[in-house]
Every structure is written in C-alpha cells, then in structure tokens.
Amino acid sequence: MTLGIDHASDRAAFRQIADRLRGEIESGELLPGAKLPSERTLMDAYGTARGTIREAIALLRSEGLVTVEHGRGAFVRRRPPVRRLASDRFARHHRDRGKAAYLVELEADGRRPDVQVLYVGPGPAPSDMASRLGVDEGAQVLVRRRMYLADGEPMETATSYVPWEIAEGTAMTETQTGPGGIYARIEERGHRLERFSEEVTARMPTDEERRTLRLVPGTPVIALVRTAFDESGMAVEVCDTVLAADRYVLSYELPAR
C-alpha cells in the first residue's frame, strides 16, 4: 500500500515522511532500538525517490531521534536523556558516601558510568576562569580535564580549575582523586562548601567538540559553567562543562519565597 504524500502542501515531501516516522517514534510504535524500514520499503510505501527518503532520515538523525549504522540501516535511539538533578547532585550526603555527582546520576538512571581523565596538572588560568576564581589571568591553577561516558557513549567534557594553593599536595593533582571527588578533597583542605552557581547557555559545537562527543550533524551543545564557593564566599573551583544537548534533561528545583 502506498502512503499518501500531500503534493498540494507547501511542506516538502521528505518533511512529511519525517513527520510520520517521528510520530511513530514518539507514540512508541517504533520502540528504542527498533530498526526503521529499509529505504526500498519506504520508497515503495510513499511512492517517492531514494533521495527523498534519505533526506527524511537525515532530518530525524539531526534531531537525535535515530542513529544510522553503515550497512545496517537506521535505528531509533536506544537511550532517553539522562536527567541531571541540579538541586541534589552536589549534596554533601553524596560526598559523605564517597560518591561523585556523575556516578550518582548514572547509577540512578541504570546506566554504566565511566570517566576518562584527559589531563591533570598545573596550567595558566584563562581570562574568564581567572575572573571567576578571583586570581590573575595566567596565574597557576590546577587543571583537570575529563570526558564522561554512559554505556560507552560520550556525554560531556568538563575542565575544572582550582586555585593552586588549595590543590597543591592533595589527591586533586592525581588521576584518581579518591572517594567523593575533588569537592571532598577541597573540604578536607578546610574550605567547607556553601553554594554553587551555574550559568547555562546553548550553542552549536566546535568541530573538536563534535568529534569528541560524537554528535550527529545539527546537534547543539549545552555550555555550563559552575563556580563552587566556600563558607567565606571564596571561589574554590570553576568547572567549564560542555554537554551533548540531546543526551540530557537539566532539572532544577527552585524555592518559592
């Protein structure tokens, strides 16, 4: 049976096909991990050319709804976005249990977390990070650059900047920081954490970010800069994070007062 394409519509045929496939994905008719019909099957069903079908699949891929495997076809993405609970992820009770924020989130979501440490060592503070830390531009700070994965899929990259006088001589300067992560080590240095400030923006990725996070074309990133403050109001860490926008839901709970 041929599914009708409304040729009188000002909506292109490939977009009409994408709309129908998207509807099947969102309704659950096509489940996560399911293979989409082959190009030939879709061509016959819609009475259209191969190029039109490929444009429809490319659109769904750019929206993060499907993945395309060479020689195998197109598949509905298997995993829903990870819910990032900003109101809870840095709670002290997680550190007291020896748990870093990312591990807590992924375990709660039933995912397999992994962290790849890309660089740890002293480095100059970039202008924006120096301003947030209250140090001179180019001042020596500890730089920790990591990539976070879920079930082997890159999710985000993060680079932390810590004043050198806080980090020097601690496990923060090593690949493994120990239970509770760097925030536990910062508090062990006498800087009891009081609050975190986050600034969130969205943008298109750089070429390097696209490769590192394995983003499909057209996928934006979330740029999140977090500053940690101790009880004296001193900024003790700034973390510059780039998240794949199609892999996260940012959840905030705000008091009404």
Side-chain angles (χ1 to χ4, degrees):
M1 181 180 74
T2 300
L3 299 173
I5 294 294
D6 184 359
H7 296 287
S9 172
D10 59 1
R11 191 161 180 78
F14 81 91
R15 293 188 181 277
Q16 294 183 47
I17 296 170
D19 291 344
R20 293 181 184 177
L21 292 171
R22 187 188 301 107
E24 292 176 11
I25 293 170
E26 293 175 347
S27 70
E29 186 176 345
L30 283 172
L31 296 172
K35 185 177 180 179
L36 270 62
S38 68
E39 289 182 355
R40 170 51 61 186
T41 299
L42 291 172
M43 288 166 60
D44 292 342
Y46 288 98
T48 190
R50 187 182 302 275
T52 303
I53 298 301
R54 289 183 174 177
E55 285 184 283
I57 298 300
L59 178 58
L60 296 175
R61 184 183 182 192
S62 73
E63 295 173 355
L65 293 176
V66 304
T67 58
V68 177
E69 300 181 19
H70 183 68
R72 296 192 63 216
F75 297 82
V76 180
R77 286 191 65 123
R78 289 186 176 277
R79 289 291 191 172
V82 171
R83 186 168 295 273
R84 186 181 184 276
L85 302 174
S87 57
D88 179 72
R89 71 192 315 261
F90 298 119
R92 180 167 285 105
H93 65 86
H94 295 314
R95 295 196 296 280
D96 290 343
R97 292 170 49 222
K99 294 282 189 176
Y102 184 76
L103 301 183
V104 171
E105 285 174 345
L106 269 290
E107 288 174 357
D109 201 47
R111 309 284 290 273
R112 176 173 53 84
D114 188 26
V115 181
Q116 294 181 1
V117 179
L118 306 178
Y119 174 80
V120 178
S127 175
D128 184 40
M129 302 299 113
S131 175
R132 294 171 187 269
L133 283 175
V135 301
D136 293 333
E137 180 180 353
Q140 180 171 285
V141 294
L142 173 67
V143 180
R144 293 186 57 87
R145 188 170 298 115
R146 295 92 66 202
M147 181 164 65
Y148 293 84
L149 303 94
D151 300 324
E153 178 183 41
M155 301 289 286
E156 63 180 81
T157 61
T159 304
S160 289
Y161 302 88
V162 181
W164 188 250
E165 62 270 20
I166 295 177
E168 186 177 15
T170 73
M172 283 184 279
T173 63
E174 302 172 9
T175 300
Q176 299 297 327
T177 59
I182 66 171
Y183 290 143
R185 307 290 82 75
I186 288 173
E187 292 199 320
E188 289 172 356
R189 294 283 279 186
H191 295 272
R192 185 176 174 84
L193 298 172
E194 182 181 68
R195 64 185 177 91
F196 299 89
S197 172
E198 290 189 343
E199 295 183 4
V200 183
T201 57
R203 59 174 172 79
M204 297 308 295
T206 65
D207 288 342
E208 181 179 358
E209 290 167 346
R210 189 178 298 109
R211 289 192 299 270
T212 300
L213 294 172
R214 303 178 199 164
L215 302 175
V216 299
T219 304
V221 293
I222 299 168
L224 187 153
V225 179
R226 181 181 64 253
T227 306
F229 297 90
D230 69 8
E231 291 180 326
S232 73
M234 175 183 177
V236 294
E237 184 244 11
V238 176
C239 187
D240 186 7
T241 304
V242 178
L243 306 96
D246 62 336
R247 297 167 202 170
Y248 280 100
V249 173
L250 305 187
S251 179
Y252 294 85
E253 182 175 320
L254 306 175
R257 62 170 183 257

